Amino acid sequence: MAKDPVRVLVTGAAGQIGYALVPMIARGVMLGPDQPVILHMLDIPPAAESLNGVKMELVDAAFPLLKGVVATTDVVEACKGVNVAVMVGGFPRKEGMERKDVMSKNVSIYKAQASALEKHAAANCKVLVVANPANTNALILKEFAPSIPEKNITCLTRLDHNRALGQISERLNVQVSDVKNVIIWGNHSSTQYPDVNHATVKTSSGDTPVRGLVADDGWLNGEFITTVQQRGAAIIKARKLSSALSAASAACDHIRDWVLGTPEGTYVSMGVYSDGSYNVPAGLIYSFPVTCRDGEWTIVQGLHIDEFSRKKLDATAEELSEEKALAYSCLA
């Protein structure tokens, strides 16, 4: 029996990430090859013509799973009845801007979009914030959409997680699909902590710890971490544009695992509302290792945290607490 279509909102849909993301959603990459979708695309009025062009291309691609397209600059129309919301739109930091200026712009954007989702989205709508500062934008959205359960508001650190998988795969010359259980802790920023202490590679003798296979703690505790932390900047330097294809793909991975579940024995990284696990202050949106089942995520408990890791977890939590204070000061 055919499934009912799922309504998926993409904000900032005429931008680079949006342009890469909407065909992936329409092709079934996000919600599965048998799940019809109706795409809701939102962008700002100056991008209306470009947004209409994206809609034209979606029609021209004749995606079998795509059962309708709403392309609008009206936030209320965009949010009506959506089951999944991918918040890609935000105000990017421009040269010469202070962090508080960027934060202030994003606070006002996310406050307005939170209110529209609160009033018009479907019950139990799942929200993924991609636009930076992603963790704190998600926190603001949670603040202004109190009827959306806090467990339904997340931010994207899957891109960092996938980058970490990619670096290990390249270093060991193994298939990336054979590497699992890297963790991104904390903020989607340069203070994030890519942790391989629990990661394994599938080998002929079973799942083997990454640290033993790499056999170079200097690299794993140094260059590996900084490469993942600064990969976004490296891509901007190479492309003169920010990561779009990889960000869109990671957004699909994040939602797909959340909705359809993670494989047995595998955990992934999601920015979620902290409950105090691993001594991370409650009330931050912080990236943790999670497993997903039946549309719900659960933080993986009981992982050993060594002294090196503890300092990294605390440093990124401190930055998030500072961002939270800055964001709340913009509301005053």
Side-chain angles (χ1 to χ4, degrees):
M1 195 171 129
K3 294 181 175 179
D4 290 333
V6 170
R7 291 180 179 270
V8 181
L9 166 65
V10 177
T11 72
Q16 271 214 100
I17 296 173
Y19 187 71
L21 178 59
V22 292
M24 293 183 187
I25 299 169
R27 206 176 268 287
V29 175
M30 178 179 278
L31 293 168
D34 60 347
Q35 177 58 65
V37 292
I38 296 171
L39 268 169
H40 288 227
M41 303 192 300
L42 174 71
D43 218 310
I44 54 174
E49 195 176 351
S50 176
L51 186 65
N52 193 47
V54 178
K55 181 179 179 178
M56 289 160 68
E57 284 205 74
L58 286 168
V59 171
D60 293 352
F63 293 111
L65 289 172
L66 187 60
K67 302 305 179 188
V69 181
V70 176
T72 184
T73 59
D74 176 358
V75 68
V76 170
E77 185 187 0
C79 291
K80 206 159 275 179
V82 296
N83 309 102
V84 174
V86 186
M87 317 302 282
V88 179
F91 192 89
R93 188 170 183 175
K94 294 177 179 169
E95 209 172 339
M97 283 185 78
E98 294 294 327
R99 276 179 75 232
K100 181 154 186 178
D101 299 334
V102 186
M103 190 71 78
S104 176
K105 295 269 190 194
N106 280 296
V107 162
S108 60
I109 291 168
Y110 276 82
K111 191 174 167 184
Q113 293 184 349
S115 302
L117 282 170
E118 162 96 1
K119 293 189 185 84
H120 304 288
N124 209 32
C125 175
K126 287 179 159 58
V127 182
L128 168 61
V129 177
V130 176
N132 288 321
N135 300 58
T136 301
N137 284 344
L139 197 61
I140 293 299
L141 196 143
K142 179 203 157 291
E143 198 70 33
F144 289 96
S147 73
I148 298 177
E150 61 192 32
K151 65 180 175 44
N152 282 24
I153 296 175
T154 65
C155 82
L156 187 71
T157 56
R158 184 60 175 268
L159 175 54
D160 310 299
H161 179 100
N162 289 349
R163 285 168 170 165
L165 292 175
Q167 289 303 304
I168 297 299
S169 149
E170 296 267 292
R171 177 78 177 195
L172 293 174
N173 196 24
V174 297
Q175 295 298 314
V176 74
S177 54
D178 289 338
V179 187
K180 68 177 184 180
N181 298 354
V182 298
I183 302 167
I184 303 296
W185 298 96
N187 198 3
H188 174 62
S189 76
S190 59
T191 67
Q192 64 174 262
Y193 173 43
D195 175 7
V196 298
N197 288 323
H198 312 279
T200 60
V201 177
K202 185 159 73 176
T203 65
S204 54
S205 52
D207 288 344
T208 308
V210 160
R211 199 168 273 283
L213 288 172
V214 170
D216 186 344
D217 284 352
W219 183 78
L220 284 172
N221 293 344
E223 188 186 333
F224 164 73
I225 291 173
T226 53
T227 298
V228 176
Q229 288 172 334
Q230 294 165 17
R231 187 68 162 186
I235 286 166
I236 289 172
K237 191 171 178 221
R239 288 190 72 229
K240 312 297 179 269
L241 293 164
S242 58
S243 314
L245 179 159
S246 54
S249 183
C252 288
D253 291 344
H254 175 114
I255 297 287
R256 187 187 61 248
D257 285 344
W258 188 4
V259 172
L260 301 177
T262 46
E264 194 64 41
T266 297
Y267 37 85
V268 295
S269 304
M270 285 173 65
V272 299
Y273 197 64
S274 170
D275 60 359
S277 292
Y278 296 99
N279 293 324
V280 171
L284 297 176
I285 301 263
Y286 188 99
S287 183
F288 287 97
V290 302
T291 55
C292 303
R293 190 175 178 179
D294 300 328
E296 304 278 341
W297 55 263
T298 304
I299 295 173
V300 176
Q301 298 294 343
L303 297 174
H304 173 67
I305 306 295
D306 63 19
E307 192 182 344
F308 177 85
S309 300
R310 183 73 260 164
K311 286 180 178 156
K312 298 283 189 190
L313 265 72
D314 291 346
T316 191
E318 195 175 320
E319 182 183 59
L320 280 168
S321 296
E322 286 167 11
E323 273 189 23
K324 179 179 178 178
L326 188 59
Y328 280 55
S329 74
C330 296
L331 295 168

